[in-house]
C-alpha cells in the first residue's frame, strides 16, 4: 500500500483530511476510490492503516482503522554531515541514506567543496532535498522523514556536536592505515535512542586544517580498506549500522 505523511495527530476511527500534493497523488496518480486503503504516518510518527471514505475536488477524507505497532526505524539515530559534493550527488545521498535509515542530514560547505551554495538559493535547494527525503521515506516505509539543515561552514557544523552522544569523522587516511575498529566500537557502545553524527568530506576529502580542528572533538574512523567515494561512504556506514543493530 502507498504511504503518506501528515502533520496532524490521528486516532483510530476518527476521520482526517489529506490535501495538496498528496491529495493530487491519491486522486490523479493512484486514482484511488472510496474503500481503498493506504498507510498514513501522523505528526507523532505513528503509522496507521487508513481507509478512503470520501473524495472532493480539493481533498481526500480518510479514517484510521488500525494502528501499527511495528517500527521500521533504526534503534539509534544516525545523522549524516556531507561536505557539499558536485552535481546531483547530494540528492543521491539523501535519497539512498533515507532508505537506509538516516535520521537527519547536514550538508556543509567544506574547504575542498567545489560546489558552492549561494545564500539566496539555499532555501530552494533545501526544499528540493526535503522533497526527495519525503518520497524516499514513503517508499521505504519509514515513520520519520529526515530533517535537512545547511551549515555554511565547518564552524557552524561543529556547534551542533554537543547535541550528539558520539561524533565520528570518516577519514580516508584512517582507511589507508587499515583502521577498522572505531566504527564497530562506537556501535558496540551505543544504546537505543542515542545519537551519532558522522562527517564525510567532499570529493577532495577533508583538508589538513579541517582535520586539525576536528582532532580532539571527534573520533577519526576508517570505513574498511578501500577508499570510498563521497556519495558511497554514508551508505556504507548506514549499511553497517543496519547489519549491526537489525540483522545480527
Amino acid at each position: 500500500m502507498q504511504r503518506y505523511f501528515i502533520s496532524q495527530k490521528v486516532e483510530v476511527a476518527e476521520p482526517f483530511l489529506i490535501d495538496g500534493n498528496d491529495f493530487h497523488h491519491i486522486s490523479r496518480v493512484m486514482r484511488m476510490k472510496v474503500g481503498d486503503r493506504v498507510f498514513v504516518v501522523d505528526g507523532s510518527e505513528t503509522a496507521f492503516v487508513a481507509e478512503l471514505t470520501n473524495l472532493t475536488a480539493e481533498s481526500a477524507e480518510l479514517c484510521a482503522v488500525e494502528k501499527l505497532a511495528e517500527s521500521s526505524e533504526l534503534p539509534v539515530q544516525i545523522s549524516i554531515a556531507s561536505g557539499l559534493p558536485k552535481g546531483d550527488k547530494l540528492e543521491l545521498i539523501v535519497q539512498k541514506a533515507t532508505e537506509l535509515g538516516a535520521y537527519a542530514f547536514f550538508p556543509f560547505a567544506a574547504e575542498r567543496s567545489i560546489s558552492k551554495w549561494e545564500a539566496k538559493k539555499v532555501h530552494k535547494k533545501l526544499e528540493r532535498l526535503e522533497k526527495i527525503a519525503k518520497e524516499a521515506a514513503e517508499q521505504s516505509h519509514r515513520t520519520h522523514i529526515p530533517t535537512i539543515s545547511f551549515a555554511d561552514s565547518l564552524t557552524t557544523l561543529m556547534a551542533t556536536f554537543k547535541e550528539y552522544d558520539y561524533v565520528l569523522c570518516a577519514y580516508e587516511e584512517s582507511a589507508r592505515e587499515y583502521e577498522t575498529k572505531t566504527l564497530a566500537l562506537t556501535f558496540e557502545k551505543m544504546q537505543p535512542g542515542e545519537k551519532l553524527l558522522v562527517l564525510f568530506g567532499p570529493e577532495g576529502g577533508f583538508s589538513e586544517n579541517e582535520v586539525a580542528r576536528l582532532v580532539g572533538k571527534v573520533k577519526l574512523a576508517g570505513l574498511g580498506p578501500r577508499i570510498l567515494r563521497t556519495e558511497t561512504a554514508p551508505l556504507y556506514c548506514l549499511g553497517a549500522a543496519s547489519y549491526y543493530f537489525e540483522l545480527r
Side-chain angles (χ1 to χ4, degrees):
M1 286 190 291
Q2 184 66 33
R3 175 165 293 217
Y4 298 98
F5 286 85
I6 60 175
S7 58
Q8 65 262 47
K9 195 174 188 316
V10 170
E11 298 290 346
V12 172
E14 291 189 4
F16 60 92
L17 298 179
I18 291 181
D19 54 16
N21 290 333
D22 285 340
F23 163 66
H24 179 271
H25 191 268
I26 288 172
S27 62
R28 305 298 184 187
V29 179
M30 300 301 294
R31 298 183 181 277
M32 292 184 184
K33 300 178 178 63
V34 170
D36 287 346
R37 292 189 172 190
V38 298
F39 291 121
V40 171
V41 180
D42 73 0
S44 65
E45 300 190 352
T46 302
F48 296 84
V49 174
E51 184 173 302
L52 183 61
T53 55
N54 190 34
L55 276 172
T56 70
E58 296 181 348
S59 65
E61 181 182 85
L62 300 96
C63 184
V65 297
E66 179 186 358
K67 181 178 178 179
L68 301 178
E70 69 271 14
S71 174
S72 57
E73 298 299 320
L74 284 167
V76 297
Q77 296 180 10
I78 301 180
S79 297
I80 302 298
S82 294
L84 291 178
K86 297 184 293 185
D88 60 0
K89 291 179 182 179
L90 187 57
E91 294 184 1
L92 175 68
I93 292 170
V94 168
Q95 182 189 62
K96 301 307 179 187
T98 295
E99 293 176 17
L100 288 167
Y103 190 81
F105 296 96
F106 293 88
F108 70 95
E111 289 184 10
R112 291 179 176 171
S113 288
I114 296 173
S115 177
K116 306 294 181 184
W117 281 15
E118 298 178 30
K120 63 182 180 182
K121 295 182 179 180
V122 168
H123 180 69
K124 180 170 286 189
K125 288 181 178 291
L126 290 178
E127 277 190 337
R128 168 66 178 162
L129 294 173
E130 287 165 355
K131 182 175 184 290
I132 290 170
K134 177 178 180 291
E135 291 174 350
E138 290 170 344
Q139 185 277 325
S140 55
H141 284 206
R142 298 277 304 270
T143 55
H144 171 77
I145 302 174
T147 56
I148 305 175
S149 306
F150 175 60
D152 58 6
S153 67
L154 181 61
T155 299
T156 301
L157 180 64
M158 290 173 68
T160 71
F161 287 1
K162 61 182 179 293
E163 301 172 13
Y164 295 88
D165 300 292
Y166 305 90
V167 182
L168 301 181
C169 174
Y171 187 44
E172 61 183 22
E173 291 304 321
S174 296
R176 288 195 177 99
E177 293 165 8
Y178 299 98
E179 186 289 306
T180 59
K181 301 294 185 183
T182 300
L183 185 64
L185 289 174
T186 300
F187 289 161
E188 288 177 9
K189 293 176 184 176
M190 292 187 75
Q191 299 299 311
E194 287 193 317
K195 301 178 180 180
L196 166 65
L197 175 66
V198 189
L199 281 62
F200 300 90
E203 287 84 357
F206 288 98
S207 69
E208 291 77 7
N209 174 59
E210 288 172 323
V211 173
R213 294 178 61 196
L214 291 169
V215 168
K217 298 179 177 63
V218 308
K219 288 189 175 181
L220 303 180
L223 300 180
R226 293 164 293 281
I227 305 303
L228 305 178
R229 293 178 184 268
T230 187
E231 67 271 30
T232 308
L235 310 185
Y236 176 100
C237 179
L238 288 162
S242 177
Y243 171 76
Y244 184 86
F245 292 107
E246 299 176 317
L247 300 180
R248 293 191 310 157

